[in-house]
Amino acid sequence: MASGEKTLNEQPQTDNGRPAWVKVLIPVLALGGVGVTAVLGFVMVFFITAWFGNPLPVLGFDQSPVQPIAFPHTAHAGSELLFNDDGSAKMDAEGKQLTGIGLDCTFCHRTVTDTNVAGIPPVETCVTCHRVIGSTQSEPLTLLRTIGLGDDPGPIQWKRVHRLPDHVRFVHEPHIRFLTDVGNTHVIANRDEAAILAGTQSDGSVLAAVTCSTCHGDIKSQTQVAQVEPLKMGQCVDCHRKNDAPTDCTTCHF
Amino acid sequence: MVTAAERVSSHKWGMAVDVDRCTGCQACVMACQTENNIPLSTEDIYRQKRTFAWIRIERYWYGDFPNVKARFIPIMCQHCENAPCEPVCPVFATYHNTEGMNVQIYNRCVGTRYCGAGCPYNVRFFNYWEPVWPSTLRNQLNPDVTIRSRGIMEKCSFCVQRIRRGVREAAQEDRDLVDGEIQTACTDACPTNALVFGDFNDDNSRVSIMSHDDRKYTHLDSLNTEPNVVYLAQIDATGGAIGEHE
Amino acid sequence: MKLSRREFMTLAGGSTAGAVIFTACGVPADELLVEAPLDLPEDLVNGIDSWFATTDDSGLGVIVRVMEGRAKKIAGNPDYPINLGKQAAHTDTALQALYHPDRVEGPMLRRAKGQPLTPISWDDANGLLEQWMSDAEGNLAIVTNPVRGADAKIARDVASAYAGRLVFFDPLEQGVLHSAIKTVFDQNRVPEFDIAGAHTVLSFGADWLGTWLSPVRYGTKYGDFRGGDHRGFMMHAESRMSLTAAAADRWLTVNPGYEGDLAISIASVIVKDQLVPENNISAYTANIPEGELEKWAPESVADRVGVSAELIKEAAHKFAEDGPSIAFGGGSAGAQTNGAFNLTAIYALNILAGTIGKKGGVQFNPAGAQGLPDSATGASFETWENELSHWRAGNVKTVITRGVDLVHGLPRSVDVGGALDKVDNVVAFTGVLDESSEHANLILPENSYLEDWGLDVPEPAPGYEVVGLRQPVVNAPLDGETRARLYDSRNFLDTLLLAAGSRVSVGSVKEFVEDTVADLYAAGRGSVTAGDSRLFMNGVLQRGGWWDVGASAATGTPSSIPSPLANAAGPGMSELDDRVEGHVFTIVPFAHQSLLDGRNASTPWAQATPDPITTVAWATWAEINFDKAEEMGISEGQWIKVRTTAGEITVQAYPHPGISPNLIAIPVGQGHKEGIGGRYAEDRGENVLNILVDKKESETGALAWAATRAVVTKAGGSKELPKFEGDARAIIRPAEHGVPILIVEPGQSAHDAQEHNHELHLRFISNDE
């Protein structure tokens, strides 16, 4: 056999006598193993978090989507001091730090006490105040253009934050009716004694706005609304059981 | 103080069907179709004998020409107290609730079709296909009723969406329900008032009164299913004519 | 492309993973949007429904459930006097007509006959229409379905502004009925039949519980007739088992065209046996020559009428002795060459019953409020022949059609298509393209009634003045993604008014409606009371109309009537051609339960509604007698050829026992060619109207649509009929009598009947073994 020729048996040898392709394979497998473990781990974390609470905010499961208009609930519903995004205090023209104006939730979400849905206010509702308050004025379209939604804005397409599956029928009205009723304040979750006290009427019932936090969390402190409660069936059923509400399946599923 | 749960379960919903009044006009069938987002029964589905009809009109022939008679009877889920469909469901997707209704929970259903096989009235329908509507027709779909996807069993719900709403609105106004206030789509539509819906727990309701009529009978009562749908027998004023039927 | 194995595996793996991820996380983005509109009317709150009252296109008051501007459900308007909250099988199909995927999207122009349609703008279309209408001064024809109220008034105004004419078209016309009512009662409107108050109902030919005039109104009355303190007795004479025949206690299987003879024979028994008071008999016989009536003695007519003498006598006794009684008829009884005689003879029976204007009898209707047109019927076939000859001669420059499909609805012999092609400008207002639109130069998309204003004067009216109000209840349907309008449709009359400009004093339909309602307010009576005219209008809008229970017509029994025998004649059936190889049948066309005369054929719900008698859906079938079919060797689903001198159709047979052996009954409504009538109706079934022979009713010139004879032969082959029957199989066999329909005799309890049935059943089982 002439020198320089290689036979099929003559694999390139490494120091410890293994073929070169094995040498490549080991790190590939090792990395692959790590990769697979990572992916599986991620999937597990995803499912576990999704099972017990809200899923990880990936693949469209963001609990706090960016809205077409950066509407701050802090300024409207809250009554605390306001800050800009960079942390500096938000000042008015006279150099005084602004506070939220503390609107009642039902000021904008008007149908919540009567019907299925809380209701997203039309732009006209915004204009009612913004004709005189803030940096924008006059008609709904002008307001939307000023906010930067283009020349031909049309309706605002808000992104839904709190949503239930298609086979669930949730009606706000009876929940608000129950929570506002005399003697049921202990059911209101995340409760802020001061707020409840402030919202208690002379007959012992409370204002609707105090009850929202039970499921929606402290919206008035959120600049971008996020879903904080998992709103899973278990949560609904627990509460229904505790408070003698119907637990028949067709209460919500039909 | 009545709790919310007691308020709901204080009713026993049921229907009374006066067969003597039924003309077979199909108004109930169409009204049900519209209200409950029932998938369209295409020509192919008709040929496969898998037609969706939560309420249907059955037609029977009696006698021979010229002494012949076509008679009609509307048949929907009988909401049996003693329902053969219920014990066979392995996942409790169908069960009897506290209001006298046999309910079907779509999100629990895994599509074994045991209930369909168990039902002697043939009023359960299985979605062999994903229901499809052209996008424009989807504008009509009723948002109060879940669309059943492929692999789910469905049937007459006594228009539970209307019951829930009626009960809730009465509670909201803090008053008792009035008989006739809650109507299902079919009873609403029926021109001759052959179909009547109401609460059997209310002694003065029309269904209660009809259920004490001399002509009252229940469909396949030898099976002891104890339906919550009662029928009033058809009257034959000409005598005889009780013959064979198909 | 050539794939290596490895590449294939990689791609397959990738796409599988992709599919899994996208299915798991596939939440359609647009379903997660909540729209905040610019401004929000109170009645359009997101997620909240509102019910609006309006009037549908068949004269019923309806309420429409609307959410976010979209119609979800139509139900009867409980306030409206005609239907009292009830509805028909076809009521909800208007939703699908509104959101039909094949609805015409915008105006289209055909530049020359035979060329394809091209989209044009509404501005151009309006310009053309204006031009064509003024070009046609003196020879303009506007053709619509029979309309009343504001529609009729405005359409007539527009037609007369151009010295043109308004012609109504109805494939199964009721002209003979109107003429008979005029002869017997001297009334211009169809009277109210108080079925609920009657103890005995005797009807002829008209399927009044199925499709005739206002089945919903008659249905509500029928319910009371059956369910009151006294269960009424009902007899129905018709040659096929219709819903009405099925509901009757006694079905009289009259031969087609002999309904008049049957009615007079019943009268002859009543007169001979003096079963009713003398006054009634003398009023009835005032103009009948002595001894004439005896020629109709049951024994002499039984054979030709097809009803036994005993049954005729029974009917006479029931009718005369268990009053109040009412007799009425129409439909196929009037659609004969002797139709006017038949119907006159039928309605004259009410004079013998002596119930005219009384409870349980015929009650007259007052004229329409505010002079609104209160009655409409299709022009007679004779008028149509004349009209078409004008078209064919080129005398008519512009024809405007709306809500009618002339090519589909008229017999082939008159060649409507050919006549339309001779007209310079044919404008068709339509929802979905139909057979006639093939001959139109300009297609204009028309609003659904859910998008329109209007006033209707219902017919039949309830015996007092009623004005139904129609209002737009939905927003224009939008595309889900682009938010663009799906259909650029407009109101038919508003478009005509725009073109007519100052020639017509009415500005728009809405304006006309508002003015008329203001006049009603000024009249200061009726169901709505309000402090000012604006509140009054709101009241009328909320209730879906206005009515005045006090404004009824005076009804007096006529002291004498023209002799019902004056024009007595047998029916003249169509000729047969020389080649008779097969069995001869008389064709009975009938309106389909949900498609009606075909106007609902485009909607899938109407198509999928099973016919009550045969349970067939989605197809055209031919009903023939069970025994006759057996004799001919025809079984269910077999293709049979039905040939008349005007043409032939091939349909599937449905043999059943409820039809005379010499008849073949075929429903109307299907038979659209490929590409016509929308995706749900195209290329489906056959159109029986096209093969009818043009026999005319002798007095009114109406089409005798039930007088065509046909030769029926097997066409070879068969196919399973799409039918509901057999879908719900009976589990328990053999079933007892009384399952599922328990039948009791009057006074018998369900329990007794069941015991009796059970005994029979046990005997049956033991014999079996």
PDB file of all heavy atoms in Angstrom, chain C residues 452-476:
ATOM      1  N   ASP C 452     -84.671  49.061   6.380  1.00  0.00           N
ATOM      2  CA  ASP C 452     -85.532  50.011   5.680  1.00  0.00           C
ATOM      3  C   ASP C 452     -86.562  50.688   6.560  1.00  0.00           C
ATOM      4  O   ASP C 452     -86.953  50.162   7.588  1.00  0.00           O
ATOM      5  CB  ASP C 452     -86.314  49.264   4.589  1.00  0.00           C
ATOM      6  CG  ASP C 452     -85.556  49.225   3.290  1.00  0.00           C
ATOM      7  OD1 ASP C 452     -84.602  50.012   3.137  1.00  0.00           O
ATOM      8  OD2 ASP C 452     -85.936  48.428   2.427  1.00  0.00           O
ATOM      9  N   TRP C 453     -87.035  51.837   6.064  1.00  0.00           N
ATOM     10  CA  TRP C 453     -88.217  52.483   6.608  1.00  0.00           C
ATOM     11  C   TRP C 453     -89.425  52.008   5.818  1.00  0.00           C
ATOM     12  O   TRP C 453     -89.295  51.619   4.660  1.00  0.00           O
ATOM     13  CB  TRP C 453     -88.110  53.994   6.483  1.00  0.00           C
ATOM     14  CG  TRP C 453     -87.191  54.601   7.481  1.00  0.00           C
ATOM     15  CD1 TRP C 453     -85.887  54.927   7.280  1.00  0.00           C
ATOM     16  CD2 TRP C 453     -87.499  54.947   8.825  1.00  0.00           C
ATOM     17  NE1 TRP C 453     -85.360  55.454   8.437  1.00  0.00           N
ATOM     18  CE2 TRP C 453     -86.332  55.483   9.401  1.00  0.00           C
ATOM     19  CE3 TRP C 453     -88.652  54.859   9.613  1.00  0.00           C
ATOM     20  CZ2 TRP C 453     -86.277  55.928  10.714  1.00  0.00           C
ATOM     21  CZ3 TRP C 453     -88.605  55.304  10.920  1.00  0.00           C
ATOM     22  CH2 TRP C 453     -87.421  55.832  11.466  1.00  0.00           C
ATOM     23  N   GLY C 454     -90.590  52.080   6.422  1.00  0.00           N
ATOM     24  CA  GLY C 454     -91.789  51.767   5.659  1.00  0.00           C
ATOM     25  C   GLY C 454     -93.018  51.740   6.536  1.00  0.00           C
ATOM     26  O   GLY C 454     -92.940  51.809   7.766  1.00  0.00           O
ATOM     27  N   LEU C 455     -94.169  51.686   5.875  1.00  0.00           N
ATOM     28  CA  LEU C 455     -95.453  51.537   6.560  1.00  0.00           C
ATOM     29  C   LEU C 455     -96.184  50.419   5.867  1.00  0.00           C
ATOM     30  O   LEU C 455     -96.223  50.373   4.639  1.00  0.00           O
ATOM     31  CB  LEU C 455     -96.278  52.820   6.461  1.00  0.00           C
ATOM     32  CG  LEU C 455     -95.838  54.024   7.282  1.00  0.00           C
ATOM     33  CD1 LEU C 455     -96.734  55.208   6.948  1.00  0.00           C
ATOM     34  CD2 LEU C 455     -95.912  53.727   8.763  1.00  0.00           C
ATOM     35  N   ASP C 456     -96.757  49.526   6.653  1.00  0.00           N
ATOM     36  CA  ASP C 456     -97.496  48.429   6.047  1.00  0.00           C
ATOM     37  C   ASP C 456     -98.925  48.476   6.557  1.00  0.00           C
ATOM     38  O   ASP C 456     -99.160  48.752   7.729  1.00  0.00           O
ATOM     39  CB  ASP C 456     -96.843  47.084   6.428  1.00  0.00           C
ATOM     40  CG  ASP C 456     -97.523  45.914   5.741  1.00  0.00           C
ATOM     41  OD1 ASP C 456     -97.994  46.095   4.602  1.00  0.00           O
ATOM     42  OD2 ASP C 456     -97.575  44.825   6.335  1.00  0.00           O
ATOM     43  N   VAL C 457     -99.855  48.217   5.659  1.00  0.00           N
ATOM     44  CA  VAL C 457    -101.230  48.023   6.097  1.00  0.00           C
ATOM     45  C   VAL C 457    -101.485  46.537   5.912  1.00  0.00           C
ATOM     46  O   VAL C 457    -101.585  46.058   4.800  1.00  0.00           O
ATOM     47  CB  VAL C 457    -102.217  48.845   5.243  1.00  0.00           C
ATOM     48  CG1 VAL C 457    -103.632  48.606   5.715  1.00  0.00           C
ATOM     49  CG2 VAL C 457    -101.863  50.310   5.321  1.00  0.00           C
ATOM     50  N   PRO C 458    -101.478  45.779   7.007  1.00  0.00           N
ATOM     51  CA  PRO C 458    -101.497  44.322   6.852  1.00  0.00           C
ATOM     52  C   PRO C 458    -102.786  43.811   6.218  1.00  0.00           C
ATOM     53  O   PRO C 458    -103.854  44.372   6.428  1.00  0.00           O
ATOM     54  CB  PRO C 458    -101.362  43.808   8.290  1.00  0.00           C
ATOM     55  CG  PRO C 458    -101.785  44.936   9.151  1.00  0.00           C
ATOM     56  CD  PRO C 458    -101.472  46.186   8.423  1.00  0.00           C
ATOM     57  N   GLU C 459    -102.647  42.787   5.438  1.00  0.00           N
ATOM     58  CA  GLU C 459    -103.802  42.094   4.887  1.00  0.00           C
ATOM     59  C   GLU C 459    -103.529  40.605   5.010  1.00  0.00           C
ATOM     60  O   GLU C 459    -102.490  40.144   4.565  1.00  0.00           O
ATOM     61  CB  GLU C 459    -104.002  42.464   3.421  1.00  0.00           C
ATOM     62  CG  GLU C 459    -105.276  41.860   2.871  1.00  0.00           C
ATOM     63  CD  GLU C 459    -105.558  42.254   1.442  1.00  0.00           C
ATOM     64  OE1 GLU C 459    -104.613  42.255   0.638  1.00  0.00           O
ATOM     65  OE2 GLU C 459    -106.718  42.539   1.144  1.00  0.00           O
ATOM     66  N   PRO C 460    -104.381  39.805   5.614  1.00  0.00           N
ATOM     67  CA  PRO C 460    -105.657  40.201   6.210  1.00  0.00           C
ATOM     68  C   PRO C 460    -105.474  41.022   7.477  1.00  0.00           C
ATOM     69  O   PRO C 460    -104.584  40.763   8.277  1.00  0.00           O
ATOM     70  CB  PRO C 460    -106.288  38.851   6.554  1.00  0.00           C
ATOM     71  CG  PRO C 460    -105.135  37.931   6.723  1.00  0.00           C
ATOM     72  CD  PRO C 460    -104.102  38.386   5.760  1.00  0.00           C
ATOM     73  N   ALA C 461    -106.345  42.009   7.628  1.00  0.00           N
ATOM     74  CA  ALA C 461    -106.333  42.843   8.827  1.00  0.00           C
ATOM     75  C   ALA C 461    -107.228  42.184   9.868  1.00  0.00           C
ATOM     76  O   ALA C 461    -108.014  41.305   9.534  1.00  0.00           O
ATOM     77  CB  ALA C 461    -106.827  44.240   8.470  1.00  0.00           C
ATOM     78  N   PRO C 462    -107.085  42.598  11.131  1.00  0.00           N
ATOM     79  CA  PRO C 462    -107.837  41.913  12.204  1.00  0.00           C
ATOM     80  C   PRO C 462    -109.259  42.415  12.363  1.00  0.00           C
ATOM     81  O   PRO C 462    -109.886  42.123  13.368  1.00  0.00           O
ATOM     82  CB  PRO C 462    -106.994  42.229  13.434  1.00  0.00           C
ATOM     83  CG  PRO C 462    -106.355  43.528  13.127  1.00  0.00           C
ATOM     84  CD  PRO C 462    -106.152  43.582  11.649  1.00  0.00           C
ATOM     85  N   GLY C 463    -109.777  43.170  11.411  1.00  0.00           N
ATOM     86  CA  GLY C 463    -111.137  43.667  11.551  1.00  0.00           C
ATOM     87  C   GLY C 463    -111.176  45.135  11.961  1.00  0.00           C
ATOM     88  O   GLY C 463    -112.236  45.722  12.086  1.00  0.00           O
ATOM     89  N   TYR C 464    -109.995  45.708  12.209  1.00  0.00           N
ATOM     90  CA  TYR C 464    -109.932  47.146  12.507  1.00  0.00           C
ATOM     91  C   TYR C 464    -108.670  47.725  11.867  1.00  0.00           C
ATOM     92  O   TYR C 464    -107.867  46.991  11.293  1.00  0.00           O
ATOM     93  CB  TYR C 464    -109.993  47.404  14.011  1.00  0.00           C
ATOM     94  CG  TYR C 464    -109.036  46.575  14.849  1.00  0.00           C
ATOM     95  CD1 TYR C 464    -107.739  46.999  15.067  1.00  0.00           C
ATOM     96  CD2 TYR C 464    -109.448  45.370  15.428  1.00  0.00           C
ATOM     97  CE1 TYR C 464    -106.861  46.245  15.849  1.00  0.00           C
ATOM     98  CE2 TYR C 464    -108.579  44.620  16.213  1.00  0.00           C
ATOM     99  CZ  TYR C 464    -107.291  45.057  16.413  1.00  0.00           C
ATOM    100  OH  TYR C 464    -106.436  44.322  17.177  1.00  0.00           O
ATOM    101  N   GLU C 465    -108.532  49.039  11.996  1.00  0.00           N
ATOM    102  CA  GLU C 465    -107.422  49.713  11.307  1.00  0.00           C
ATOM    103  C   GLU C 465    -106.081  49.384  11.964  1.00  0.00           C
ATOM    104  O   GLU C 465    -105.925  49.540  13.177  1.00  0.00           O
ATOM    105  CB  GLU C 465    -107.621  51.226  11.353  1.00  0.00           C
ATOM    106  CG  GLU C 465    -108.570  51.727  10.304  1.00  0.00           C
ATOM    107  CD  GLU C 465    -108.728  53.240  10.363  1.00  0.00           C
ATOM    108  OE1 GLU C 465    -107.804  53.930  10.836  1.00  0.00           O
ATOM    109  OE2 GLU C 465    -109.778  53.711   9.916  1.00  0.00           O
ATOM    110  N   VAL C 466    -105.135  48.960  11.170  1.00  0.00           N
ATOM    111  CA  VAL C 466    -103.782  48.698  11.658  1.00  0.00           C
ATOM    112  C   VAL C 466    -102.786  49.288  10.670  1.00  0.00           C
ATOM    113  O   VAL C 466    -102.944  49.150   9.460  1.00  0.00           O
ATOM    114  CB  VAL C 466    -103.506  47.182  11.787  1.00  0.00           C
ATOM    115  CG1 VAL C 466    -102.064  46.937  12.207  1.00  0.00           C
ATOM    116  CG2 VAL C 466    -104.446  46.523  12.777  1.00  0.00           C
ATOM    117  N   VAL C 467    -101.796  49.979  11.187  1.00  0.00           N
ATOM    118  CA  VAL C 467    -100.678  50.419  10.351  1.00  0.00           C
ATOM    119  C   VAL C 467     -99.406  49.883  11.009  1.00  0.00           C
ATOM    120  O   VAL C 467     -99.132  50.184  12.165  1.00  0.00           O
ATOM    121  CB  VAL C 467    -100.620  51.957  10.243  1.00  0.00           C
ATOM    122  CG1 VAL C 467     -99.424  52.386   9.416  1.00  0.00           C
ATOM    123  CG2 VAL C 467    -101.898  52.496   9.643  1.00  0.00           C
ATOM    124  N   GLY C 468     -98.672  49.073  10.279  1.00  0.00           N
ATOM    125  CA  GLY C 468     -97.425  48.539  10.804  1.00  0.00           C
ATOM    126  C   GLY C 468     -96.285  49.457  10.409  1.00  0.00           C
ATOM    127  O   GLY C 468     -96.242  49.946   9.286  1.00  0.00           O
ATOM    128  N   LEU C 469     -95.368  49.706  11.350  1.00  0.00           N
ATOM    129  CA  LEU C 469     -94.252  50.581  11.023  1.00  0.00           C
ATOM    130  C   LEU C 469     -92.982  49.774  10.835  1.00  0.00           C
ATOM    131  O   LEU C 469     -92.691  48.870  11.606  1.00  0.00           O
ATOM    132  CB  LEU C 469     -94.045  51.597  12.144  1.00  0.00           C
ATOM    133  CG  LEU C 469     -93.020  52.652  11.772  1.00  0.00           C
ATOM    134  CD1 LEU C 469     -93.622  54.023  11.871  1.00  0.00           C
ATOM    135  CD2 LEU C 469     -91.800  52.557  12.658  1.00  0.00           C
ATOM    136  N   ARG C 470     -92.273  50.090   9.778  1.00  0.00           N
ATOM    137  CA  ARG C 470     -90.991  49.434   9.544  1.00  0.00           C
ATOM    138  C   ARG C 470     -89.884  50.455   9.749  1.00  0.00           C
ATOM    139  O   ARG C 470     -89.986  51.584   9.296  1.00  0.00           O
ATOM    140  CB  ARG C 470     -90.950  48.897   8.109  1.00  0.00           C
ATOM    141  CG  ARG C 470     -89.679  48.140   7.783  1.00  0.00           C
ATOM    142  CD  ARG C 470     -89.766  47.510   6.414  1.00  0.00           C
ATOM    143  NE  ARG C 470     -90.925  46.637   6.348  1.00  0.00           N
ATOM    144  CZ  ARG C 470     -91.544  46.310   5.211  1.00  0.00           C
ATOM    145  NH1 ARG C 470     -91.119  46.779   4.073  1.00  0.00           N
ATOM    146  NH2 ARG C 470     -92.594  45.503   5.227  1.00  0.00           N
ATOM    147  N   GLN C 471     -88.861  50.061  10.484  1.00  0.00           N
ATOM    148  CA  GLN C 471     -87.751  50.980  10.731  1.00  0.00           C
ATOM    149  C   GLN C 471     -86.439  50.223  10.593  1.00  0.00           C
ATOM    150  O   GLN C 471     -86.397  49.008  10.758  1.00  0.00           O
ATOM    151  CB  GLN C 471     -87.867  51.573  12.127  1.00  0.00           C
ATOM    152  CG  GLN C 471     -87.878  50.507  13.230  1.00  0.00           C
ATOM    153  CD  GLN C 471     -87.853  51.112  14.619  1.00  0.00           C
ATOM    154  OE1 GLN C 471     -87.188  52.097  14.843  1.00  0.00           O
ATOM    155  NE2 GLN C 471     -88.581  50.496  15.544  1.00  0.00           N
ATOM    156  N   PRO C 472     -85.354  50.939  10.277  1.00  0.00           N
ATOM    157  CA  PRO C 472     -84.063  50.245  10.194  1.00  0.00           C
ATOM    158  C   PRO C 472     -83.650  49.824  11.601  1.00  0.00           C
ATOM    159  O   PRO C 472     -83.638  50.664  12.500  1.00  0.00           O
ATOM    160  CB  PRO C 472     -83.110  51.303   9.643  1.00  0.00           C
ATOM    161  CG  PRO C 472     -83.952  52.450   9.229  1.00  0.00           C
ATOM    162  CD  PRO C 472     -85.232  52.366   9.986  1.00  0.00           C
ATOM    163  N   VAL C 473     -83.351  48.563  11.796  1.00  0.00           N
ATOM    164  CA  VAL C 473     -83.009  48.101  13.138  1.00  0.00           C
ATOM    165  C   VAL C 473     -81.566  47.615  13.248  1.00  0.00           C
ATOM    166  O   VAL C 473     -81.097  47.331  14.334  1.00  0.00           O
ATOM    167  CB  VAL C 473     -83.956  46.965  13.605  1.00  0.00           C
ATOM    168  CG1 VAL C 473     -85.368  47.478  13.734  1.00  0.00           C
ATOM    169  CG2 VAL C 473     -83.911  45.785  12.668  1.00  0.00           C
ATOM    170  N   VAL C 474     -80.880  47.498  12.142  1.00  0.00           N
ATOM    171  CA  VAL C 474     -79.497  47.013  12.211  1.00  0.00           C
ATOM    172  C   VAL C 474     -78.557  48.030  11.575  1.00  0.00           C
ATOM    173  O   VAL C 474     -78.973  48.858  10.782  1.00  0.00           O
ATOM    174  CB  VAL C 474     -79.320  45.665  11.466  1.00  0.00           C
ATOM    175  CG1 VAL C 474     -80.049  44.569  12.186  1.00  0.00           C
ATOM    176  CG2 VAL C 474     -79.776  45.760  10.025  1.00  0.00           C
ATOM    177  N   ASN C 475     -77.303  47.938  11.959  1.00  0.00           N
ATOM    178  CA  ASN C 475     -76.282  48.725  11.269  1.00  0.00           C
ATOM    179  C   ASN C 475     -75.898  47.983   9.995  1.00  0.00           C
ATOM    180  O   ASN C 475     -76.104  46.777   9.895  1.00  0.00           O
ATOM    181  CB  ASN C 475     -75.045  48.879  12.148  1.00  0.00           C
ATOM    182  CG  ASN C 475     -75.311  49.763  13.346  1.00  0.00           C
ATOM    183  OD1 ASN C 475     -76.410  50.276  13.498  1.00  0.00           O
ATOM    184  ND2 ASN C 475     -74.299  49.916  14.185  1.00  0.00           N
ATOM    185  N   ALA C 476     -75.317  48.693   9.063  1.00  0.00           N
ATOM    186  CA  ALA C 476     -74.882  48.049   7.834  1.00  0.00           C
ATOM    187  C   ALA C 476     -73.887  46.949   8.192  1.00  0.00           C
ATOM    188  O   ALA C 476     -72.981  47.167   8.993  1.00  0.00           O
ATOM    189  CB  ALA C 476     -74.231  49.065   6.918  1.00  0.00           C
TER     190      ALA C 476
END
